[in-house]
Each structure stands twice: as structure tokens, then as C-alpha cells.
Amino acid sequence: MWPGMYHSPVTNALWQARSIFDTPSTTGVDSVTAKTPSLSRTTIHYPFSSDYILREQYRNPWNGIRVGKLLEDLDALAGTISFKHCFNHAGMADSLLLVTASVDKMVLKKPICVDIDLKIVGAVTWVGRSSMEIQLEVLQPIEETSDSLDSQALIANFTFVARDSKTGKSAIINQITPETEKEKSIWQEAEERNKLRKKRRLQQKKEIENEREAERLNALLAEGRVFIDMPALADRDSILIKDTCLQNSLVCQPQQRNTHGRIFGGFLMRRAFELAFATAYTFAGSAPLFLEVDHVDFLKPVDVGNFLRLKSCVLYTELEDPNKPLINVEVVAHVTRPELRSAEVSNKFYFTFTTASDAVTNGKIRSVVPATEEEARRIIERMDAENIL
């Protein structure tokens, strides 16, 4: 992040971290060591109750928190923490790049108020050869209780990877030495998540070939075929995926670049969330309530000047509980290069929303059906991913 950005408490923390290396060092450029989680632990305070200007930066039209902006801050803080863990002196700044590789599913445990002080606490909790996991907690204390678990609104796990700035290959980073029993327990949980991520990547590569999966495809496509072939007879309580789509486009500006000159992941998450929110809003007919963002993989880097297209749709709905329908929204980010006539997927985001109970009584939430085999496969992949986690 750069001075052109609004300086939130998180961006201020990044500049403070960078100021540690104001005095250059010429020794041990490639040296690595072992560090404890406490050396990277960072706490950011949001004095919403007393800082009107800050509060207004984070207020949404319904007097709640701007979740997209909070996601942006989480990514920025994870970057700051990874910086603290990996950089031992100024000489390393020219040899090492740190980039967001993935974000695990984030589930909102309780609503976040924009009028009550908030804090985010995070640290590096697990390290591999060239990757690390940063765990962040969003805490908003409740006056009636002193239990820290009651204050916990959200937990986020970010995976960052280190690259050699000259070759682009993976680079060895400082290892981690947990000290307390809690740190050791969190390390073990992170180790299990890392194994699960590898398992998930292998499963995503498999083709849907067996008869059971073919049956699932046909079942999903059955209603879609009625919409296409006999639209007058289609179920009025259903809608095609393509009729829920929204999209927007932007040219990535230098104000959104990170310390390595590329567009930082938090900005992409914020823009994706805001488009997903609008998609769920127009689909449900009332302001949706955010529940969770699923695992995010950052597939391709996004550079300053890239033409970015975000395309969203309601991928499927879950209507088993009439009072709490679930709306699953997919947002796909494409890096488009008109001069090369090319477009690549840089990110896929999956958000889950619900609606207030009074909104459900005013209008029924529709089922969403695919019209093509490709859409049906995307639905199956998402449903299977939900079952894995």
C-alpha cells in the first residue's frame, strides 16, 4: 500500500513495520532464522466509538460495517505480519517478494457493529519451506461478558508465499518456533489445514466421470432444459443462473498497489464482495446479510494498468430452512488485455448471504438452475467443496 491510499489503522501499521528497516544493512542478505509467533504478533485498534471520521469510513448504508473494507484490511494486515516475520533487515527487501496465495473460509460468528470499538489481532502461526499461514482474529468486546470467545466475530487464515524477486522461484523463509501450549495447538491446526489444502487441490483436478456424478449433472440440468425448450412451462419459483448475473470493469490504478507494485489481494476481495452483495441484493429483493466467504486462491497476479472484469452470479440457493435461505454467489475476476486479445482468470470468490426473516415473508427466494453442463459442473464443484470443509 502506498501514500495515495486512505490511511486506515492497518495501513499505518504497515508503514510502522517498514520503518524498522530505515537503516540499511549489508550483511546476511539471504540469512534465515527461527522466530516465535510473538515477534510478528500485531494488534490493530479501531476506535469507532470516539473517532467519527474513521467510523464513517467503515459505515455502510444500513448503519452496519462495510464487510468488503474489512476484508481489504485483513489482507493488508496479513501482509504486514508476513513482512515482520520474513524480513530480518533492509537488505532482504530487494531479494524477497511476499504474495497472498490463498485465504481459508471465513465465517462471521456474530454481527459487527460500526459504533463499537474493534480490534484485529494476528500473527504467523505456521511456516513451511516458502509458505506461511497468518491467523487473524476480529474482536469486538461485549460489555456484559469478559469471555474472549464472546468477543470473537471472525477468524481468518491467510497463506502467503515467498518468491525470489529475480527468478520468481520459491524462496526459503524464517521458520517458526511456537512457545506456548496455545501456539503449539494453533500450529498443529494450521498443519492439518495445509494438508487439507493439498488434498483439495488434488480433488479439484479430477474429472466428473462416474455414473453418480453423471446423474447429478442430469438432475441439475433437467429444469434448465425446460426453461430453454419450453419456457412457458418452466417453474415460476426457479430462475436460470444467467439471469442473476452482474458484472463491472475497472482499470487497476497505482493507488491500489502493494509494496511490490502489484494490486493487493484485499482490494480485489473488497471489489468482489461489493459486487456479490449487489448480486444477492437484486436477487433477493432486500439487503442481504453476509455469512461467510469461502476459501480463496490467488491464481494470477494483477498488475497496475490491467483491465479487470468482475463477473458474478447466484450459483445456487439452499432453501431447506424457510426462515434462513442461503444465497451462494460466485464472483470471477478476469485480467483482460485488449491489446493481446487475451483474458485470464485471476481469482474466484464465493460468498454466502442470507436474508432477514421479515424479508422472506415479503417475497419467496427462488431456486437457481443451470442451463449448461459447464454451469452444472460449477455447482457440483462448489457443493462438494462445502462438504469437504
Side-chain angles (χ1 to χ4, degrees):
M1 292 151 295
W2 297 83
M5 293 184 61
Y6 168 74
H7 275 244
S8 72
V10 168
T11 57
N12 291 337
L14 176 57
W15 289 111
Q16 290 172 11
R18 288 177 61 83
S19 69
I20 296 172
F21 303 127
D22 282 343
T23 303
S25 170
T26 57
T27 61
V29 171
D30 296 320
S31 62
V32 293
T33 184
K35 292 186 176 181
T36 63
S38 61
L39 292 177
S40 65
R41 185 165 288 113
T42 305
T43 301
I44 304 297
H45 295 275
Y46 291 75
F48 287 141
S49 63
S50 59
D51 191 333
Y52 171 80
I53 295 176
L54 179 66
R55 185 165 67 242
E56 290 308 302
Q57 290 285 337
Y58 286 82
R59 188 187 300 278
N60 70 18
W62 298 273
N63 207 34
I65 195 83
R66 287 180 63 188
V67 175
K69 193 164 180 61
L70 187 61
L71 294 177
E72 186 175 29
D73 281 1
L74 288 172
D75 179 77
L77 180 56
T80 299
I81 291 169
S82 68
F83 182 92
K84 283 185 175 181
H85 178 80
C86 293
F87 285 69
N88 302 328
H89 46 72
M92 298 181 73
D94 295 327
S95 62
L96 199 63
L97 295 177
L98 300 175
V99 295
T100 313
S102 66
V103 186
D104 283 355
K105 175 186 286 189
M106 289 184 269
V107 179
L108 191 67
K109 297 187 175 182
K110 67 172 188 173
I112 300 174
C113 301
V114 76
D115 300 311
I116 301 175
D117 290 353
L118 182 81
K119 71 176 179 180
I120 306 176
V121 181
V124 173
T125 54
W126 175 90
V127 176
R129 182 179 181 276
S130 60
S131 62
M132 75 203 92
E133 183 173 292
I134 298 96
Q135 185 172 97
L136 304 171
E137 287 184 279
V138 178
L139 304 171
Q140 193 163 60
I142 302 173
E143 293 182 0
E144 293 78 11
T145 177
S146 59
D147 191 339
S148 60
L149 290 178
D150 291 336
S151 301
Q152 195 180 81
L154 186 147
I155 292 181
N157 294 299
F158 285 73
T159 302
F160 273 62
V161 295
R163 295 283 182 263
D164 186 291
S165 61
K166 295 179 180 178
T167 66
K169 296 181 179 179
S170 61
I172 300 174
I173 58 174
N174 294 329
Q175 292 300 297
I176 194 165
T177 307
E179 292 181 304
T180 67
E181 289 303 315
K182 182 178 180 180
E183 288 174 350
K184 292 175 182 177
S185 175
I186 293 174
W187 184 94
Q188 187 60 47
E189 291 172 2
E191 176 73 6
E192 293 301 319
R193 281 193 296 273
N194 184 57
K195 293 178 181 178
L196 182 60
R197 279 192 288 268
K198 292 179 179 178
K199 177 183 176 183
R200 178 175 178 156
R201 283 195 292 267
L202 290 173
Q203 289 182 340
Q204 287 176 338
K205 293 178 181 178
K206 295 179 180 179
E207 296 289 335
I208 303 176
E209 295 176 346
N210 59 48
E211 291 183 6
R212 179 176 173 274
E213 298 303 337
E215 290 175 0
R216 294 172 71 188
L217 280 173
N218 287 328
L220 284 170
L221 286 167
E223 186 61 32
R225 293 191 184 104
V226 176
F227 269 90
I228 294 170
D229 299 333
M230 298 169 284
L233 301 178
D235 185 353
R236 297 303 104 183
D237 291 331
S238 298
I239 187 172
L240 291 175
I241 287 176
K242 67 181 184 66
D243 293 330
T244 70
C245 295
L246 292 179
Q247 65 175 294
N248 59 32
S249 305
L250 65 143
V251 175
C252 297
Q253 303 296 329
Q255 290 78 16
Q256 285 100 42
R257 70 190 188 275
N258 60 21
T259 53
H260 306 306
R262 284 179 161 158
I263 303 303
F264 75 104
F267 171 77
L268 300 176
M269 282 200 291
R270 174 169 67 83
R271 293 301 298 257
F273 173 84
E274 291 172 352
L275 181 59
F277 184 94
T279 303
Y281 196 175
T282 57
F283 175 78
S286 63
L289 304 176
F290 168 72
L291 294 179
E292 66 182 49
V293 53
D294 204 356
H295 181 93
V296 180
D297 284 312
F298 290 83
L299 306 174
K300 299 285 184 182
V302 182
D303 294 319
V304 173
N306 279 169
F307 178 41
L308 191 68
R309 299 183 68 186
L310 298 168
K311 300 179 181 180
S312 69
C313 70
V314 177
L315 196 57
Y316 65 95
T317 55
E318 298 175 62
L319 308 177
E320 287 80 6
D321 184 352
N323 295 318
K324 193 177 181 181
L326 300 182
I327 304 169
N328 296 273
V329 180
E330 176 190 67
V331 180
V332 182
H334 295 83
V335 174
T336 305
R337 296 179 175 84
E339 64 276 11
L340 300 177
R341 297 194 301 170
S342 69
E344 291 183 297
V345 173
S346 66
N347 305 87
K348 290 184 179 180
F349 303 90
Y350 299 94
F351 301 93
T352 303
F353 299 90
T354 188
T355 58
S357 56
D358 57 342
V360 176
T361 60
N362 295 331
K364 186 176 181 180
I365 301 298
R366 290 183 173 187
S367 296
V368 181
V369 295
T372 67
E373 185 173 313
E374 185 269 337
E375 289 176 344
R377 288 181 183 276
R378 280 158 53 198
I379 293 174
I380 289 175
E381 286 175 3
R382 288 311 311 149
M383 288 180 171
D384 287 348
E386 288 289 330
N387 292 332
I388 290 172
L389 300 175

mmCIF file of all heavy atoms in Angstrom, residues 131-172:
data_model
loop_
_atom_site.group_PDB
_atom_site.id
_atom_site.type_symbol
_atom_site.label_atom_id
_atom_site.label_comp_id
_atom_site.label_asym_id
_atom_site.label_seq_id
_atom_site.Cartn_x
_atom_site.Cartn_y
_atom_site.Cartn_z
ATOM 1 N N SER A 131 6.291 -21.024 2.457
ATOM 2 C CA SER A 131 4.944 -20.505 2.684
ATOM 3 C C SER A 131 4.687 -20.366 4.167
ATOM 4 O O SER A 131 5.368 -20.990 4.996
ATOM 5 C CB SER A 131 3.894 -21.427 2.053
ATOM 6 O OG SER A 131 3.942 -22.713 2.640
ATOM 7 N N MET A 132 3.708 -19.554 4.499
ATOM 8 C CA MET A 132 3.379 -19.345 5.912
ATOM 9 C C MET A 132 1.894 -19.077 6.047
ATOM 10 O O MET A 132 1.245 -18.614 5.105
ATOM 11 C CB MET A 132 4.191 -18.188 6.488
ATOM 12 C CG MET A 132 3.714 -16.807 6.054
ATOM 13 S SD MET A 132 4.971 -15.532 6.161
ATOM 14 C CE MET A 132 5.642 -15.634 4.487
ATOM 15 N N GLU A 133 1.346 -19.380 7.206
ATOM 16 C CA GLU A 133 -0.056 -19.070 7.489
ATOM 17 C C GLU A 133 -0.118 -17.994 8.553
ATOM 18 O O GLU A 133 0.585 -18.059 9.565
ATOM 19 C CB GLU A 133 -0.809 -20.314 7.950
ATOM 20 C CG GLU A 133 -2.291 -20.042 8.192
ATOM 21 C CD GLU A 133 -3.085 -21.293 8.481
ATOM 22 O OE1 GLU A 133 -3.236 -22.112 7.550
ATOM 23 O OE2 GLU A 133 -3.556 -21.449 9.625
ATOM 24 N N ILE A 134 -0.953 -17.010 8.313
ATOM 25 C CA ILE A 134 -1.183 -15.920 9.259
ATOM 26 C C ILE A 134 -2.615 -16.026 9.738
ATOM 27 O O ILE A 134 -3.544 -16.053 8.928
ATOM 28 C CB ILE A 134 -0.950 -14.537 8.614
ATOM 29 C CG1 ILE A 134 0.497 -14.404 8.144
ATOM 30 C CG2 ILE A 134 -1.297 -13.423 9.576
ATOM 31 C CD1 ILE A 134 0.729 -14.726 6.694
ATOM 32 N N GLN A 135 -2.800 -16.129 11.035
ATOM 33 C CA GLN A 135 -4.155 -16.184 11.587
ATOM 34 C C GLN A 135 -4.525 -14.830 12.189
ATOM 35 O O GLN A 135 -3.759 -14.242 12.953
ATOM 36 C CB GLN A 135 -4.280 -17.267 12.655
ATOM 37 C CG GLN A 135 -5.699 -17.441 13.163
ATOM 38 C CD GLN A 135 -5.853 -18.647 14.070
ATOM 39 O OE1 GLN A 135 -5.821 -18.517 15.297
ATOM 40 N NE2 GLN A 135 -6.016 -19.827 13.480
ATOM 41 N N LEU A 136 -5.703 -14.344 11.815
ATOM 42 C CA LEU A 136 -6.195 -13.064 12.287
ATOM 43 C C LEU A 136 -7.524 -13.264 13.015
ATOM 44 O O LEU A 136 -8.375 -14.028 12.564
ATOM 45 C CB LEU A 136 -6.412 -12.092 11.116
ATOM 46 C CG LEU A 136 -5.206 -11.829 10.216
ATOM 47 C CD1 LEU A 136 -5.630 -11.043 8.988
ATOM 48 C CD2 LEU A 136 -4.126 -11.069 10.964
ATOM 49 N N GLU A 137 -7.690 -12.570 14.126
ATOM 50 C CA GLU A 137 -8.950 -12.577 14.862
ATOM 51 C C GLU A 137 -9.541 -11.177 14.861
ATOM 52 O O GLU A 137 -8.858 -10.209 15.198
ATOM 53 C CB GLU A 137 -8.736 -13.008 16.306
ATOM 54 C CG GLU A 137 -8.441 -14.466 16.515
ATOM 55 C CD GLU A 137 -8.353 -14.797 17.998
ATOM 56 O OE1 GLU A 137 -7.282 -14.536 18.584
ATOM 57 O OE2 GLU A 137 -9.341 -15.276 18.573
ATOM 58 N N VAL A 138 -10.815 -11.075 14.484
ATOM 59 C CA VAL A 138 -11.545 -9.815 14.587
ATOM 60 C C VAL A 138 -12.335 -9.876 15.886
ATOM 61 O O VAL A 138 -13.183 -10.760 16.071
ATOM 62 C CB VAL A 138 -12.489 -9.605 13.386
ATOM 63 C CG1 VAL A 138 -13.263 -8.306 13.541
ATOM 64 C CG2 VAL A 138 -11.694 -9.600 12.083
ATOM 65 N N LEU A 139 -12.055 -8.953 16.789
ATOM 66 C CA LEU A 139 -12.651 -8.971 18.123
ATOM 67 C C LEU A 139 -13.435 -7.695 18.381
ATOM 68 O O LEU A 139 -12.946 -6.584 18.118
ATOM 69 C CB LEU A 139 -11.562 -9.128 19.190
ATOM 70 C CG LEU A 139 -10.641 -10.348 19.054
ATOM 71 C CD1 LEU A 139 -9.485 -10.251 20.041
ATOM 72 C CD2 LEU A 139 -11.417 -11.637 19.272
ATOM 73 N N GLN A 140 -14.633 -7.852 18.894
ATOM 74 C CA GLN A 140 -15.440 -6.701 19.297
ATOM 75 C C GLN A 140 -16.030 -7.024 20.669
ATOM 76 O O GLN A 140 -17.009 -7.767 20.780
ATOM 77 C CB GLN A 140 -16.536 -6.400 18.284
ATOM 78 C CG GLN A 140 -17.181 -5.035 18.500
ATOM 79 C CD GLN A 140 -17.960 -4.580 17.284
ATOM 80 O OE1 GLN A 140 -18.896 -5.251 16.857
ATOM 81 N NE2 GLN A 140 -17.595 -3.439 16.718
ATOM 82 N N PRO A 141 -15.407 -6.517 21.729
ATOM 83 C CA PRO A 141 -15.808 -6.892 23.089
ATOM 84 C C PRO A 141 -17.259 -6.528 23.393
ATOM 85 O O PRO A 141 -17.799 -5.544 22.892
ATOM 86 C CB PRO A 141 -14.845 -6.088 23.975
ATOM 87 C CG PRO A 141 -13.681 -5.777 23.083
ATOM 88 C CD PRO A 141 -14.261 -5.608 21.712
ATOM 89 N N ILE A 142 -17.878 -7.350 24.217
ATOM 90 C CA ILE A 142 -19.232 -7.101 24.705
ATOM 91 C C ILE A 142 -19.130 -6.748 26.181
ATOM 92 O O ILE A 142 -18.488 -7.447 26.963
ATOM 93 C CB ILE A 142 -20.122 -8.354 24.524
ATOM 94 C CG1 ILE A 142 -20.151 -8.762 23.049
ATOM 95 C CG2 ILE A 142 -21.533 -8.103 25.037
ATOM 96 C CD1 ILE A 142 -20.859 -10.074 22.804
ATOM 97 N N GLU A 143 -19.772 -5.657 26.572
ATOM 98 C CA GLU A 143 -19.652 -5.177 27.952
ATOM 99 C C GLU A 143 -20.198 -6.184 28.963
ATOM 100 O O GLU A 143 -19.705 -6.297 30.071
ATOM 101 C CB GLU A 143 -20.391 -3.841 28.107
ATOM 102 C CG GLU A 143 -19.752 -2.697 27.329
ATOM 103 C CD GLU A 143 -20.486 -1.394 27.553
ATOM 104 O OE1 GLU A 143 -21.485 -1.400 28.305
ATOM 105 O OE2 GLU A 143 -20.057 -0.372 26.985
ATOM 106 N N GLU A 144 -21.228 -6.944 28.574
ATOM 107 C CA GLU A 144 -21.883 -7.838 29.521
ATOM 108 C C GLU A 144 -21.043 -9.054 29.889
ATOM 109 O O GLU A 144 -21.346 -9.755 30.842
ATOM 110 C CB GLU A 144 -23.224 -8.329 28.942
ATOM 111 C CG GLU A 144 -24.277 -7.252 28.789
ATOM 112 C CD GLU A 144 -24.054 -6.374 27.573
ATOM 113 O OE1 GLU A 144 -23.194 -6.740 26.742
ATOM 114 O OE2 GLU A 144 -24.714 -5.326 27.469
ATOM 115 N N THR A 145 -19.988 -9.351 29.138
ATOM 116 C CA THR A 145 -19.204 -10.556 29.396
ATOM 117 C C THR A 145 -17.717 -10.276 29.218
ATOM 118 O O THR A 145 -17.328 -9.408 28.451
ATOM 119 C CB THR A 145 -19.623 -11.708 28.457
ATOM 120 O OG1 THR A 145 -18.786 -12.843 28.707
ATOM 121 C CG2 THR A 145 -19.469 -11.305 27.005
ATOM 122 N N SER A 146 -16.913 -11.034 29.945
ATOM 123 C CA SER A 146 -15.455 -10.911 29.825
ATOM 124 C C SER A 146 -14.863 -12.068 29.045
ATOM 125 O O SER A 146 -13.658 -12.154 28.875
ATOM 126 C CB SER A 146 -14.820 -10.853 31.220
ATOM 127 O OG SER A 146 -15.144 -12.029 31.954
ATOM 128 N N ASP A 147 -15.715 -12.991 28.586
ATOM 129 C CA ASP A 147 -15.256 -14.155 27.839
ATOM 130 C C ASP A 147 -14.745 -13.726 26.468
ATOM 131 O O ASP A 147 -15.475 -13.118 25.684
ATOM 132 C CB ASP A 147 -16.401 -15.154 27.681
ATOM 133 C CG ASP A 147 -15.929 -16.501 27.144
ATOM 134 O OD1 ASP A 147 -14.844 -16.537 26.545
ATOM 135 O OD2 ASP A 147 -16.643 -17.500 27.325
ATOM 136 N N SER A 148 -13.475 -14.053 26.173
ATOM 137 C CA SER A 148 -12.874 -13.630 24.899
ATOM 138 C C SER A 148 -13.576 -14.260 23.710
ATOM 139 O O SER A 148 -13.632 -13.681 22.627
ATOM 140 C CB SER A 148 -11.382 -13.976 24.872
ATOM 141 O OG SER A 148 -11.204 -15.376 25.022
ATOM 142 N N LEU A 149 -14.130 -15.483 23.893
ATOM 143 C CA LEU A 149 -14.818 -16.145 22.785
ATOM 144 C C LEU A 149 -16.071 -15.390 22.384
ATOM 145 O O LEU A 149 -16.464 -15.381 21.216
ATOM 146 C CB LEU A 149 -15.167 -17.588 23.167
ATOM 147 C CG LEU A 149 -13.984 -18.556 23.292
ATOM 148 C CD1 LEU A 149 -14.466 -19.927 23.724
ATOM 149 C CD2 LEU A 149 -13.212 -18.643 21.979
ATOM 150 N N ASP A 150 -16.720 -14.729 23.355
ATOM 151 C CA ASP A 150 -17.904 -13.935 23.050
ATOM 152 C C ASP A 150 -17.549 -12.688 22.252
ATOM 153 O O ASP A 150 -18.409 -12.103 21.588
ATOM 154 C CB ASP A 150 -18.624 -13.531 24.339
ATOM 155 C CG ASP A 150 -19.261 -14.729 25.036
ATOM 156 O OD1 ASP A 150 -19.539 -15.723 24.341
ATOM 157 O OD2 ASP A 150 -19.453 -14.674 26.262
ATOM 158 N N SER A 151 -16.298 -12.273 22.330
ATOM 159 C CA SER A 151 -15.848 -11.091 21.600
ATOM 160 C C SER A 151 -15.438 -11.418 20.167
ATOM 161 O O SER A 151 -15.303 -10.521 19.342
ATOM 162 C CB SER A 151 -14.654 -10.445 22.324
ATOM 163 O OG SER A 151 -14.997 -10.074 23.638
ATOM 164 N N GLN A 152 -15.236 -12.681 19.876
ATOM 165 C CA GLN A 152 -14.708 -13.101 18.582
ATOM 166 C C GLN A 152 -15.797 -13.035 17.511
ATOM 167 O O GLN A 152 -16.798 -13.733 17.575
ATOM 168 C CB GLN A 152 -14.162 -14.518 18.705
ATOM 169 C CG GLN A 152 -13.275 -14.956 17.572
ATOM 170 C CD GLN A 152 -12.781 -16.371 17.801
ATOM 171 O OE1 GLN A 152 -13.478 -17.341 17.542
ATOM 172 N NE2 GLN A 152 -11.560 -16.489 18.324
ATOM 173 N N ALA A 153 -15.579 -12.180 16.517
ATOM 174 C CA ALA A 153 -16.545 -12.020 15.425
ATOM 175 C C ALA A 153 -16.138 -12.819 14.194
ATOM 176 O O ALA A 153 -17.000 -13.269 13.429
ATOM 177 C CB ALA A 153 -16.698 -10.549 15.052
ATOM 178 N N LEU A 154 -14.843 -13.009 13.998
ATOM 179 C CA LEU A 154 -14.385 -13.676 12.781
ATOM 180 C C LEU A 154 -12.945 -14.125 12.959
ATOM 181 O O LEU A 154 -12.148 -13.439 13.618
ATOM 182 C CB LEU A 154 -14.501 -12.703 11.594
ATOM 183 C CG LEU A 154 -14.204 -13.195 10.178
ATOM 184 C CD1 LEU A 154 -15.088 -12.459 9.178
ATOM 185 C CD2 LEU A 154 -12.759 -12.933 9.813
ATOM 186 N N ILE A 155 -12.605 -15.274 12.386
ATOM 187 C CA ILE A 155 -11.216 -15.743 12.313
ATOM 188 C C ILE A 155 -10.863 -15.918 10.848
ATOM 189 O O ILE A 155 -11.639 -16.482 10.079
ATOM 190 C CB ILE A 155 -11.016 -17.070 13.066
ATOM 191 C CG1 ILE A 155 -11.187 -16.873 14.571
ATOM 192 C CG2 ILE A 155 -9.620 -17.636 12.797
ATOM 193 C CD1 ILE A 155 -10.971 -18.134 15.380
ATOM 194 N N ALA A 156 -9.701 -15.427 10.457
ATOM 195 C CA ALA A 156 -9.252 -15.534 9.065
ATOM 196 C C ALA A 156 -7.860 -16.140 9.035
ATOM 197 O O ALA A 156 -6.987 -15.765 9.826
ATOM 198 C CB ALA A 156 -9.238 -14.154 8.411
ATOM 199 N N ASN A 157 -7.663 -17.078 8.112
ATOM 200 C CA ASN A 157 -6.351 -17.699 7.914
ATOM 201 C C ASN A 157 -5.872 -17.410 6.499
ATOM 202 O O ASN A 157 -6.477 -17.872 5.534
ATOM 203 C CB ASN A 157 -6.426 -19.211 8.146
ATOM 204 C CG ASN A 157 -6.741 -19.551 9.588
ATOM 205 O OD1 ASN A 157 -5.994 -19.211 10.490
ATOM 206 N ND2 ASN A 157 -7.860 -20.220 9.810
ATOM 207 N N PHE A 158 -4.805 -16.637 6.392
ATOM 208 C CA PHE A 158 -4.208 -16.270 5.109
ATOM 209 C C PHE A 158 -2.940 -17.080 4.891
ATOM 210 O O PHE A 158 -2.142 -17.255 5.817
ATOM 211 C CB PHE A 158 -3.841 -14.784 5.079
ATOM 212 C CG PHE A 158 -5.016 -13.847 4.908
ATOM 213 C CD1 PHE A 158 -5.908 -13.633 5.938
ATOM 214 C CD2 PHE A 158 -5.215 -13.180 3.703
ATOM 215 C CE1 PHE A 158 -6.983 -12.773 5.789
ATOM 216 C CE2 PHE A 158 -6.284 -12.320 3.536
ATOM 217 C CZ PHE A 158 -7.173 -12.122 4.578
ATOM 218 N N THR A 159 -2.741 -17.555 3.678
ATOM 219 C CA THR A 159 -1.481 -18.206 3.315
ATOM 220 C C THR A 159 -0.704 -17.293 2.377
ATOM 221 O O THR A 159 -1.229 -16.876 1.342
ATOM 222 C CB THR A 159 -1.733 -19.560 2.620
ATOM 223 O OG1 THR A 159 -2.483 -20.405 3.487
ATOM 224 C CG2 THR A 159 -0.412 -20.238 2.283
ATOM 225 N N PHE A 160 0.506 -16.982 2.764
ATOM 226 C CA PHE A 160 1.407 -16.178 1.936
ATOM 227 C C PHE A 160 2.567 -17.051 1.477
ATOM 228 O O PHE A 160 2.984 -17.973 2.194
ATOM 229 C CB PHE A 160 1.962 -14.985 2.729
ATOM 230 C CG PHE A 160 1.085 -13.763 2.699
ATOM 231 C CD1 PHE A 160 -0.193 -13.793 3.231
ATOM 232 C CD2 PHE A 160 1.532 -12.586 2.125
ATOM 233 C CE1 PHE A 160 -1.012 -12.683 3.211
ATOM 234 C CE2 PHE A 160 0.725 -11.464 2.093
ATOM 235 C CZ PHE A 160 -0.547 -11.509 2.627
ATOM 236 N N VAL A 161 3.087 -16.762 0.296
ATOM 237 C CA VAL A 161 4.264 -17.466 -0.199
ATOM 238 C C VAL A 161 5.355 -16.455 -0.509
ATOM 239 O O VAL A 161 5.076 -15.293 -0.840
ATOM 240 C CB VAL A 161 3.944 -18.310 -1.451
ATOM 241 C CG1 VAL A 161 2.983 -19.411 -1.109
ATOM 242 C CG2 VAL A 161 3.391 -17.448 -2.574
ATOM 243 N N ALA A 162 6.582 -16.920 -0.398
ATOM 244 C CA ALA A 162 7.743 -16.068 -0.666
ATOM 245 C C ALA A 162 8.359 -16.467 -1.997
ATOM 246 O O ALA A 162 8.496 -17.651 -2.301
ATOM 247 C CB ALA A 162 8.768 -16.207 0.457
ATOM 248 N N ARG A 163 8.721 -15.464 -2.772
ATOM 249 C CA ARG A 163 9.343 -15.681 -4.077
ATOM 250 C C ARG A 163 10.641 -14.875 -4.168
ATOM 251 O O ARG A 163 10.735 -13.774 -3.632
ATOM 252 C CB ARG A 163 8.402 -15.234 -5.201
ATOM 253 C CG ARG A 163 7.124 -16.061 -5.295
ATOM 254 C CD ARG A 163 7.395 -17.399 -5.961
ATOM 255 N NE ARG A 163 6.180 -18.191 -6.115
ATOM 256 C CZ ARG A 163 5.799 -19.132 -5.287
ATOM 257 N NH1 ARG A 163 6.546 -19.402 -4.203
ATOM 258 N NH2 ARG A 163 4.697 -19.824 -5.498
ATOM 259 N N ASP A 164 11.616 -15.453 -4.848
ATOM 260 C CA ASP A 164 12.831 -14.716 -5.158
ATOM 261 C C ASP A 164 12.489 -13.632 -6.165
ATOM 262 O O ASP A 164 11.911 -13.913 -7.218
ATOM 263 C CB ASP A 164 13.888 -15.656 -5.731
ATOM 264 C CG ASP A 164 15.225 -14.966 -5.947
ATOM 265 O OD1 ASP A 164 15.301 -14.102 -6.854
ATOM 266 O OD2 ASP A 164 16.186 -15.299 -5.245
ATOM 267 N N SER A 165 12.799 -12.388 -5.854
ATOM 268 C CA SER A 165 12.383 -11.269 -6.709
ATOM 269 C C SER A 165 13.024 -11.297 -8.094
ATOM 270 O O SER A 165 12.476 -10.730 -9.040
ATOM 271 C CB SER A 165 12.711 -9.939 -6.022
ATOM 272 O OG SER A 165 14.120 -9.835 -5.801
ATOM 273 N N LYS A 166 14.160 -11.981 -8.232
ATOM 274 C CA LYS A 166 14.851 -12.009 -9.529
ATOM 275 C C LYS A 166 14.428 -13.213 -10.378
ATOM 276 O O LYS A 166 14.211 -13.086 -11.568
ATOM 277 C CB LYS A 166 16.366 -12.021 -9.308
ATOM 278 C CG LYS A 166 16.880 -10.740 -8.651
ATOM 279 C CD LYS A 166 18.390 -10.813 -8.424
ATOM 280 C CE LYS A 166 18.894 -9.540 -7.765
ATOM 281 N NZ LYS A 166 20.351 -9.598 -7.483
ATOM 282 N N THR A 167 14.298 -14.373 -9.745
ATOM 283 C CA THR A 167 13.999 -15.588 -10.511
ATOM 284 C C THR A 167 12.517 -15.946 -10.512
ATOM 285 O O THR A 167 12.063 -16.699 -11.367
ATOM 286 C CB THR A 167 14.788 -16.778 -9.944
ATOM 287 O OG1 THR A 167 14.314 -17.063 -8.620
ATOM 288 C CG2 THR A 167 16.273 -16.469 -9.900
ATOM 289 N N GLY A 168 11.765 -15.438 -9.517
ATOM 290 C CA GLY A 168 10.362 -15.790 -9.405
ATOM 291 C C GLY A 168 10.124 -17.139 -8.758
ATOM 292 O O GLY A 168 8.989 -17.558 -8.573
ATOM 293 N N LYS A 169 11.196 -17.850 -8.405
ATOM 294 C CA LYS A 169 11.067 -19.167 -7.780
ATOM 295 C C LYS A 169 10.841 -19.022 -6.278
ATOM 296 O O LYS A 169 11.065 -17.964 -5.693
ATOM 297 C CB LYS A 169 12.312 -20.003 -8.051
ATOM 298 C CG LYS A 169 12.536 -20.314 -9.535
ATOM 299 C CD LYS A 169 13.776 -21.161 -9.737
ATOM 300 C CE LYS A 169 13.984 -21.495 -11.213
ATOM 301 N NZ LYS A 169 15.202 -22.314 -11.434
ATOM 302 N N SER A 170 10.398 -20.125 -5.661
ATOM 303 C CA SER A 170 10.128 -20.086 -4.226
ATOM 304 C C SER A 170 11.411 -19.793 -3.451
ATOM 305 O O SER A 170 12.508 -20.211 -3.852
ATOM 306 C CB SER A 170 9.520 -21.411 -3.761
ATOM 307 O OG SER A 170 10.417 -22.479 -4.008
ATOM 308 N N ALA A 171 11.260 -19.079 -2.357
ATOM 309 C CA ALA A 171 12.414 -18.695 -1.536
ATOM 310 C C ALA A 171 12.223 -19.215 -0.115
ATOM 311 O O ALA A 171 11.110 -19.224 0.414
ATOM 312 C CB ALA A 171 12.561 -17.172 -1.520
ATOM 313 N N ILE A 172 13.305 -19.654 0.505
ATOM 314 C CA ILE A 172 13.260 -20.151 1.878
ATOM 315 C C ILE A 172 13.043 -18.976 2.828
ATOM 316 O O ILE A 172 13.661 -17.920 2.672
ATOM 317 C CB ILE A 172 14.549 -20.902 2.229
ATOM 318 C CG1 ILE A 172 14.744 -22.098 1.290
ATOM 319 C CG2 ILE A 172 14.529 -21.378 3.677
ATOM 320 C CD1 ILE A 172 16.065 -22.811 1.487
#
